[in-house]
Amino acid sequence: MHRISIVLRSLWFLSALLTSAAATNLPFQNLQLDTPGFPGQPRDWVASDRVATQLDTTLKHGGSASLRIDASAAPQLVATGWEAAPWRGQRLQLSAFIHTQPDQAAQGVLTFGPCTSLPCPAGAQVTISGPHHLDWIQMTVPFHVPSTAQHLSVVLTVSSGTLWLDDLSLTANGRPVVEAAPFLGPDAHQLTWLKTHVHPIRTAAPPQDDSDLAPVGPLVGDAPIVGLGEGTHGTHAFFTLKTRLVQFLVQRRGFRIFAIEESPALVDAVNSYLQRGQGAPEALLYGSVWHTQEMLALLKWMRMYNTTAAQKLTFTGFDLRSTLPELTTLQELVTKAEPAYLQQLQQLRDGLSTAPYVTYGPIDPHKQPVYQANRALAATVLLHLQHQQRAYRRVLSAPQVETALLYARRVWQFTGMPLFGPYDYRDQMMARNVEDLARAHPGQKLILWAHDIHVGRLAGRMGEVLSRDLGAKYVPIGTLFNDGTYSAIPGAGHALVEGNVAPPMYVGSLEQAFAQVGGPFFLNLRTVRTAPEAAWLNTPQDVRFIGQSAAPQETDRENLAHLFDAVVFVPHSTSSLLR
């Protein structure tokens, strides 16, 4: 069920922007299962196991293929979904054709409703029990969409045997719902426009040779915060290209604060190295996706820059996914300033160890009392330190007091993830931390180094919050690739490794269209917003983002010109070089 919960949570995230212009029209959802995506897979569907879930062109109800779901070895799930807002208050009916083998006892459940995890009590469902002697059986699932629904999901779970799914359709208030045709890429005229508006860019070059980055200057202008995204956390060219962008922003635009998607205790050691040369740079960022040869080269350049610069670079972090290093430092500082308060810190540490805190994992409702108690205790610790900071300053240095307050605040933020949902909550806290950094360094410019999903203006994510609060003062730049290898965690319980394979993106995706242009290239997406020939880039299209875990066939549908002010495309990815 862990994998199934992750798939459904991903489905809600991936389909959040699939809107409908009218209540009798649906964006392309591939309900007929006739439009392929990756080899053997239908476009715009998610699955718990893509090996056990394959398109079948030999057995189908209609069209070109059905979806074969083999649960003989393990339970399987397939799903798709869209935004519920245009359908609120309507009576929908989902229809689907199911085939089972006559000699096999297949079992499954077809669910339709606002599902983010299973079971889905708010959804309607029908049970499938084989074997059936008819060739195909039509299943119908009626559902009245409540006024509070945020999204709608079609979920087929198969607990045993093998099922085939095909030809789904919808009615709304008794009328057929018309599904939009799939986008199959730009036409020749649109592709010509794209080729004439991209700027060739190099992913690696000496710091003093940055003429190809000239378009970045006008894009950034006087904005004090620039977000540098990455389509994976493990692509060599993304690291080297972003290193060049950092050097450009530092040397040409006066940026001095470097903030990364990481927790404070880990990055404070890096800043000590940058400021005073303390520690071995090879050991810095150990245990993170940033522990790479490419990042080591950037850190050494930053240190070299600081040895002669009048205004030095500062390295900091804005994430909240760690607690033990921060609590260890807090205990060390409190030992000096207020030993009697150590018991409360140890109680918080013990409480955090009794319940699992997984960034994007399923939340155990039975642990809610523990999560709430930890949240309350973390708040008490934070308030206590804020109240005692004047007394602490008599024993500790001012930077030490600031460190204690910062770490206590991040621990408190961390305790909210299982209570308020890990996706939007984490990003909103990161946005708050970035804005706090800007206030703590008045007049200084910030570079944000993070994943595309956090940097871009995805609904509820850090980039959207920063754009809402700062407007044109925030400039996000994304990076995309078409195929190749990358470093990531290949599965639960595994370590970060090089060599994970991402297949080429399919026809109808942004990356497949960009691959026709070549690259690497830089594209100013502000020009896209006003050009009729580029309207397809200013509407939601399929795009791939890969995070810390290997998920090369999970795609999103996003408006690229809304997400970023510019994008850099690298046709082929090679793995980052792990240390």
Side-chain angles (χ1 to χ4, degrees):
M1 292 301 292
H2 175 78
R3 173 62 178 159
I4 289 174
S5 297
I6 291 176
V7 169
L8 283 176
R9 291 175 187 275
S10 299
L11 173 65
W12 164 225
F13 164 66
L14 297 176
S15 63
L17 291 183
L18 298 179
T19 60
S20 177
T24 55
N25 295 278
L26 185 71
F28 173 68
Q29 286 296 137
N30 202 13
L31 293 181
Q32 300 291 307
L33 295 165
D34 289 332
T35 305
F38 294 107
Q41 301 295 316
R43 266 180 63 176
D44 300 303
W45 285 73
V46 296
S48 55
D49 183 345
R50 293 190 181 273
V51 175
T53 304
Q54 294 278 315
L55 288 174
D56 189 339
T57 58
T58 62
L59 179 60
K60 56 200 176 186
H61 177 264
S64 60
S66 66
L67 189 60
R68 181 180 185 269
I69 305 142
D70 183 358
S72 57
Q76 301 297 328
L77 174 149
V78 296
T80 188
W82 56 90
E83 188 181 359
W87 309 95
R88 290 172 183 160
Q90 298 197 60
R91 298 186 309 277
L92 301 185
Q93 180 166 288
L94 174 74
S95 173
F97 285 89
I98 301 291
H99 175 84
T100 63
Q101 291 180 331
D103 59 344
Q104 192 177 76
Q107 302 289 327
V109 176
L110 180 63
T111 304
F112 181 40
C115 306
T116 56
S117 62
L118 293 178
C120 179
Q125 58 185 225
V126 59
T127 299
I128 304 163
S129 180
H132 292 292
H133 297 289
L134 298 176
D135 188 17
W136 288 89
I137 295 193
Q138 185 177 18
M139 301 285 188
T140 58
V141 188
F143 182 70
H144 187 274
V145 184
S147 60
T148 56
Q150 298 297 313
H151 65 283
L152 293 171
S153 300
V154 177
V155 184
L156 175 60
T157 56
V158 185
S159 56
S160 64
T162 302
L163 295 179
W164 283 258
L165 175 69
D166 202 2
D167 285 350
L168 291 85
S169 61
L170 280 174
T171 62
N173 302 321
R175 294 176 295 170
V177 171
V178 178
E179 182 181 357
F183 175 73
L184 298 177
D187 60 28
H189 182 60
Q190 294 167 329
L191 198 59
T192 298
W193 183 95
L194 181 61
K195 290 178 178 178
T196 59
H197 283 77
V198 301
H199 300 272
I201 195 171
R202 287 169 291 168
T203 57
Q208 65 273 16
D209 185 5
D210 60 6
S211 58
D212 59 317
L213 300 180
V216 178
L219 177 86
V220 172
D222 296 325
I225 302 180
V226 171
L228 301 180
E230 52 198 31
T232 84
H233 281 315
T235 291
H236 170 77
F238 290 167
F239 278 100
T240 57
L241 170 67
K242 289 172 66 175
T243 292
R244 297 192 66 221
L245 289 171
V246 168
Q247 293 166 341
F248 177 88
L249 292 171
V250 169
Q251 295 173 323
R252 304 286 188 181
R253 311 302 296 187
F255 283 73
R256 291 296 181 269
I257 310 298
F258 180 96
I260 194 168
E261 181 195 337
E262 195 52 78
S263 300
L266 194 64
V267 300
D268 282 353
V270 179
N271 196 49
S272 294
Y273 166 71
L274 295 191
Q275 304 306 319
R276 297 175 292 279
Q278 294 179 350
E282 292 79 9
L284 298 173
L285 299 173
Y286 178 78
S288 76
V289 293
W290 324 115
H291 194 241
T292 66
Q293 297 292 346
E294 297 90 348
M295 183 61 78
L296 176 61
L298 174 58
L299 297 183
K300 288 183 175 180
W301 178 87
M302 290 175 140
R303 172 57 188 160
M304 182 177 65
Y305 181 90
N306 275 1
T307 58
T308 58
Q311 191 177 22
K312 298 182 186 299
L313 301 175
T314 297
F315 197 104
T316 186
F318 51 82
D319 207 349
L320 52 136
R321 287 190 296 166
S322 173
T323 56
L324 292 183
E326 285 76 14
L327 281 172
T328 297
T329 300
L330 272 175
Q331 288 173 313
E332 293 171 355
L333 294 173
V334 170
T335 297
K336 299 176 182 179
E338 190 184 6
Y341 200 67
L342 280 173
Q343 182 179 352
Q344 283 79 0
L345 285 177
Q346 187 60 49
Q347 183 181 349
L348 176 57
R349 190 179 191 121
D350 293 342
L352 291 171
S353 67
T354 62
Y357 283 81
V358 182
T359 304
Y360 294 134
I363 297 170
D364 184 351
H366 301 293
K367 294 287 186 179
Q368 287 296 302
V370 177
Y371 292 135
Q372 291 167 352
N374 290 341
R375 177 74 167 176
L377 185 53
T380 299
V381 169
L382 175 58
L383 291 171
H384 177 84
L385 295 184
Q386 290 172 336
H387 184 263
Q388 290 291 102
Q389 59 180 303
R390 181 174 297 179
Y392 278 29
R393 290 181 190 277
R394 292 195 288 267
V395 180
L396 304 174
S397 67
Q400 286 177 320
V401 174
E402 292 303 316
T403 294
L405 292 172
L406 172 63
Y407 285 14
R409 187 177 304 112
R410 296 292 176 85
V411 171
W412 171 77
Q413 290 178 343
F414 175 88
T415 61
M417 284 204 289
L419 295 173
F420 306 116
Y423 292 102
D424 290 358
Y425 172 79
R426 178 188 170 210
D427 273 77
Q428 289 161 11
M429 292 299 101
M430 290 198 296
R432 177 186 294 182
N433 294 338
V434 168
E435 294 177 5
D436 286 346
L437 282 171
R439 284 188 287 269
H441 299 87
Q444 301 226 34
K445 296 181 179 180
L446 280 71
I447 299 170
L448 308 183
W449 181 299
H451 196 277
D452 279 345
I453 284 174
H454 304 303
V455 165
R457 302 183 183 97
L458 280 83
R461 295 303 188 122
M462 181 182 76
E464 184 191 56
V465 177
L466 293 176
S467 292
R468 181 195 66 205
D469 294 349
L470 303 174
K473 294 180 179 179
Y474 174 64
V475 176
I477 300 174
T479 60
L480 300 176
F481 78 106
N482 185 47
D483 63 12
T485 62
Y486 60 99
S487 299
I489 297 172
H494 290 76
L496 192 72
V497 297
E498 301 174 15
N500 299 278
V501 177
M505 285 292 282
Y506 47 78
V507 172
S509 67
L510 288 170
E511 293 91 340
Q512 194 273 342
F514 286 170
Q516 297 178 62
V517 175
F521 64 72
F522 173 91
L523 175 62
N524 185 335
L525 291 170
R526 292 173 181 168
T527 63
V528 164
R529 298 168 190 162
T530 56
E533 302 91 338
W536 63 279
L537 287 168
N538 200 20
T539 55
Q541 307 293 356
D542 287 9
V543 62
R544 173 169 57 192
F545 300 124
I546 301 175
Q548 183 170 311
S549 299
Q553 296 190 28
E554 303 300 337
T555 60
D556 195 359
R557 191 180 295 171
E558 297 289 349
N559 181 330
L560 195 67
H562 169 74
L563 289 190
F564 307 111
D565 288 327
V567 67
V568 175
F569 176 71
V570 176
H572 185 71
S573 170
T574 58
S575 301
S576 59
L577 304 175
L578 302 178
R579 284 187 269 158

